[in-house]
Amino acid sequence: MRNVVLARVDDRLIHGEVVTAWTPNSKANKIMIIDDEVAKDTFNVRVVKALAPAGTKVIVYNVDKAAEKLMVKGVDGERIMLLAKTPTTFYRLIQAGVPIKEVNLGGAGIRGERQPFINNVALNPEEVLACESMQKGGCRVYYQLVPEQGVIEIDDAVQKAKANFGL
């Protein structure tokens, strides 16, 4: 598998926190955005590539292509940050055989069925169940807005969200 240094959920994808905090902290030299819709939209692909930190390559794939690309042998010195808009994307990658060990929850705004989950993260029922399933499968899912802040484990938030949604 390729060298993944961070798998982060952030519905804004590349923005200030990713550029100024997460990329330098993880020493990522490549960002892989995994999103079925963005991958189909050439304009959005150009936009996210333009937002990348200097010297950082950005690639955009749908989930199936990302799973395929992540399972090949990596290149020496390659340090990849994975960005996705929802935890469901990472759950789908894991189901496809990608051995992701940790998922960092960053920003995910309230929209549609999403309800407040933990701090500035809102999730819908499917996303809550994806987090729970990843955890049950041995993937650590945690909240951390920026590297300087402490990590918050999400176990209690998952149980509370499941009760709120009646799951």
Side-chain angles (χ1 to χ4, degrees):
M1 183 177 142
R2 294 172 82 175
N3 185 28
V4 173
V5 295
L6 178 67
R8 179 172 169 83
V9 173
D10 197 319
D11 63 4
R12 299 165 292 173
L13 299 175
I14 298 178
H15 61 95
E17 290 164 5
V18 170
V19 172
T20 63
W22 287 108
T23 303
N25 181 268
S26 66
K27 296 178 178 60
N29 53 24
K30 186 176 286 186
I31 296 173
M32 182 184 293
I33 293 174
I34 306 158
D35 188 274
D36 291 342
E37 295 303 313
V38 174
K40 290 190 283 188
D41 185 335
T42 56
F43 176 75
N44 271 334
V45 170
R46 284 196 319 265
V47 169
V48 294
K49 285 183 175 187
L51 295 171
T56 306
K57 182 177 180 176
V58 175
I59 47 180
V60 182
Y61 294 125
N62 64 31
V63 174
D64 293 335
K65 190 69 166 179
E68 175 188 320
K69 294 291 188 178
L70 287 167
M71 294 305 290
V72 300
K73 186 174 189 265
V75 177
D76 284 344
E78 181 179 64
R79 298 179 59 81
I80 302 174
M81 178 190 309
L82 305 179
L83 289 177
K85 291 182 180 182
T86 77
T88 308
T89 299
F90 288 113
Y91 180 58
R92 288 174 59 201
L93 285 172
I94 291 168
Q95 286 181 307
V98 179
I100 296 172
K101 300 294 182 213
E102 291 189 344
V103 172
N104 165 258
L105 297 179
I110 295 175
R111 67 175 187 280
E113 290 185 76
R114 280 185 169 176
Q115 293 181 8
F117 178 70
I118 192 167
N119 293 353
N120 65 331
V121 175
L123 300 178
N124 67 32
E126 178 186 20
E127 294 165 337
V128 170
L129 292 175
C131 287
E132 181 182 49
S133 294
M134 286 189 288
Q135 288 182 308
K136 285 181 177 178
C139 177
R140 178 180 180 222
V141 183
Y142 63 93
Y143 169 81
Q144 187 177 23
L145 185 62
V146 292
E148 295 78 27
Q149 290 183 341
V151 168
I152 299 173
E153 301 299 336
I154 66 162
D155 300 337
D156 292 339
V158 167
Q159 296 313 311
K160 182 179 175 185
K162 284 179 63 180
N164 289 343
F165 283 120
L167 303 173

